[in-house]
Amino acid sequence: MPIKIRIWLGITWLFAPLIELLVKVWHSKSGADPSRYSERMGHTAAKRPIGVKLVWIHAASLGELGQCRALFARLSKLSNTRILITTFSDSGADWVAQEMPDAVHQFLPLDMPRAVSGFLDHWSPDSAIFVEGDLWPRLLLATNAREIPMTLINARPSSSRRKSPNLHQFVLSLFDAITCKSTAVRDDLIGIGLTAHSVHYFGDLRAEATALPVDNDIAKNLMSDIGARPVWIAASTHAADEAAVVTACHIIRKTQPDALLIWAPRHPRRATDIRRIATDLTVSQRSSSDPITAETAIYLADTLGELGTLFSCADIVFLGGSFGDEGGHNPFEPAQFGCKVLTGPRHRNHDEGFATLMQNGAAFTVNDGMALGAKVTSLLASPKPRNAQITPSIGAAQKTAKLIIATLKA
């Protein structure tokens, strides 16, 4: 066992009370239901479904969940099987409640002895699926020790694998099977010592995901409020993206003063901070039912589950998570609506997706807020028909589901 993992196991055992306290404070401040903090400690009032196979799927948050719609649909159809979904974020919990009401949701237990053993004792899953990453050493080791089959799906690129190949080889060798989002990732995993028969490439699940849902009534009302104004969207932004988006908004409005920005942050709780840095711009907030008026410069869509509706109302989308360390977001989601997609330079988690769209002139990289403003200004000044909608590839979800089904305990 690599020394770094031994150190982690020791620290999380020795300082467990302090870690629990810090996470409890964070859980409360994040807006999550305080009564559900016990789930992070491996305790729950929810009952394990009796007499059925339980497929446990861990997806850290919204991005990991959204790519699995087609996969979830296939697994949900299995007879005598229920799905347990864990997430780390409360936004992930909200998504599961809205999109998969028949699934059981729990917060992921902390990577400490009592929390991990309590979770596994109670739920005793028949198969464990991890989406892309968010891999915690003690949880993986304990799951493996109980001989619960484990699958990592849509494994993504990682610069740290090259820096610590032995560490990653040890962790990833705990999985019975791994699917990769690209052939480059597959080759990378084989290169650090994983066996070729356990590593698969079926295609990128994100490219196959079904189009985001659209509420046609809401879209119609939004389009009526927008009227003939030029409009662009900043979607799935994080803190590191916000200054660049505000800078771009100012640049765009110098030449097109009636331009409207629809701003949908990744986490709705960022709305307060966005308003704080956009004090010289008129902001209408969706969660407060503020109308879009002629003076509105930013329509702050601080809601969940409405990106598809918003994408149907504009031709230009900037995807956040690309100026900070998040690794960007899925470009196929807006591309499926025929939108031109802009991204910052840091989109390592979706390099191949952006490369594909850029070859077709459907996506562009900008290096800062000024470049973002200039590019959006250029696109708004020469409006063109929407891009052809991207047709998702077929096969990745089907093949991944088949692989998971094969791991289920007899």
Side-chain angles (χ1 to χ4, degrees):
M1 183 183 297
I3 187 63
K4 288 183 179 179
I5 292 182
R6 293 182 184 275
I7 292 173
W8 171 261
L9 297 178
I11 289 175
T12 52
W13 174 80
L14 184 63
F15 295 101
L18 176 60
I19 296 171
E20 291 174 19
L21 177 61
L22 293 174
V23 173
K24 188 173 185 178
V25 172
W26 172 84
H27 179 90
S28 177
K29 289 186 175 180
S30 72
D33 183 350
S35 68
R36 296 189 63 184
Y37 167 73
S38 61
E39 294 174 17
R40 300 192 189 274
M41 293 307 304
H43 306 302
T44 180
K47 303 291 186 182
R48 189 213 190 272
I50 303 299
V52 299
K53 293 183 184 297
L54 187 66
V55 176
W56 164 34
I57 302 172
H58 174 61
S61 192
L62 296 175
E64 293 78 12
L65 285 166
Q67 69 185 270
C68 293
R69 279 188 174 90
L71 177 62
F72 289 157
R74 292 181 181 277
L75 295 177
S76 296
K77 295 177 181 178
L78 295 177
S79 61
N80 199 39
T81 302
R82 290 288 303 278
I83 294 178
L84 166 69
I85 299 179
T86 56
T87 65
F88 192 80
S89 70
D90 56 297
S91 56
D94 293 338
W95 187 96
V96 174
Q98 293 175 15
E99 302 289 336
M100 295 192 64
D102 292 333
V104 180
H105 176 270
Q106 295 282 281
F107 285 115
L108 186 73
L110 300 180
D111 204 43
M112 297 186 296
R114 287 190 304 165
V116 167
S117 61
F119 174 86
L120 293 175
D121 286 344
H122 180 81
W123 292 107
S124 185
D126 295 281
S127 182
I129 317 301
F130 293 77
V131 184
E132 288 199 349
D134 202 36
L135 309 179
W136 297 89
R138 178 176 278 106
L139 182 61
L140 296 181
L141 289 166
T143 304
N144 176 262
R146 296 180 186 228
E147 298 184 346
I148 299 169
M150 295 196 299
T151 307
L152 174 62
I153 64 173
N154 227 32
R156 61 193 178 195
S158 170
S159 58
S160 64
R161 275 201 294 267
R162 294 182 178 87
K163 298 175 182 177
S164 305
N166 293 336
L167 172 66
H168 285 269
Q169 193 277 338
F170 175 84
V171 170
L172 295 177
S173 66
L174 299 174
F175 287 90
D176 297 86
I178 299 174
T179 72
C180 305
K181 70 185 304 177
S182 69
T183 55
V185 174
R186 181 192 61 191
D187 294 344
D188 188 26
L189 297 187
I190 294 173
I192 65 172
L194 298 186
T195 57
H197 75 271
S198 67
V199 182
H200 309 269
Y201 172 68
F202 301 143
D204 187 349
L205 282 175
R206 291 179 184 262
E208 187 174 334
T210 55
L212 297 173
V214 175
D215 187 313
N216 291 318
D217 291 334
I218 293 177
K220 183 178 179 180
N221 291 334
L222 283 174
M223 292 297 290
S224 176
D225 292 341
I226 295 169
R229 296 176 64 179
V231 59
W232 65 291
I233 294 174
S236 298
T237 59
H238 297 258
D241 305 304
E242 290 166 2
V245 172
V246 171
T247 295
C249 190
H250 283 296
I251 291 172
I252 294 162
R253 289 176 64 82
K254 287 180 180 178
T255 56
Q256 302 206 43
D258 61 338
L260 175 68
L261 165 62
I262 299 177
W263 193 338
R266 188 69 169 181
H267 303 291
R269 64 178 177 272
R270 295 294 310 167
T272 301
D273 297 276
I274 290 172
R275 296 200 71 143
R276 187 178 298 122
I277 66 170
T279 53
D280 55 344
L281 295 164
T282 303
V283 178
S284 295
Q285 196 163 337
R286 182 159 178 74
S287 64
S288 301
S289 299
D290 296 341
I292 297 176
T293 67
E295 290 73 33
T296 301
I298 298 174
Y299 185 57
L300 186 52
D302 54 335
T303 53
L304 289 172
E306 293 192 314
L307 274 183
T309 301
L310 300 178
F311 290 158
S312 70
C313 296
D315 298 333
I316 304 167
V317 174
F318 165 73
L319 275 182
S322 52
F323 284 118
D325 295 327
E326 294 78 17
H329 289 296
N330 181 7
F332 293 106
E333 290 182 342
Q336 285 180 323
F337 289 83
C339 300
K340 293 190 182 301
V341 186
L342 283 71
T343 177
R346 306 176 75 175
H347 49 70
R348 64 182 181 279
N349 293 339
H350 304 278
D351 282 346
E352 288 200 1
F354 278 110
T356 298
L357 295 176
M358 288 175 187
Q359 288 175 359
N360 298 326
F364 308 89
T365 299
V366 293
N367 290 323
D368 52 34
M370 294 185 66
L372 174 60
K375 187 61 181 178
V376 173
T377 298
S378 173
L379 292 173
L380 290 175
S382 303
K384 298 178 181 178
R386 279 179 175 257
N387 292 330
Q389 294 185 2
I390 299 298
T391 301
S393 59
I394 302 298
Q398 179 181 3
K399 293 176 182 177
T400 302
K402 185 177 180 180
L403 183 69
I404 292 169
I405 293 168
T407 70
L408 284 170
K409 291 180 179 179

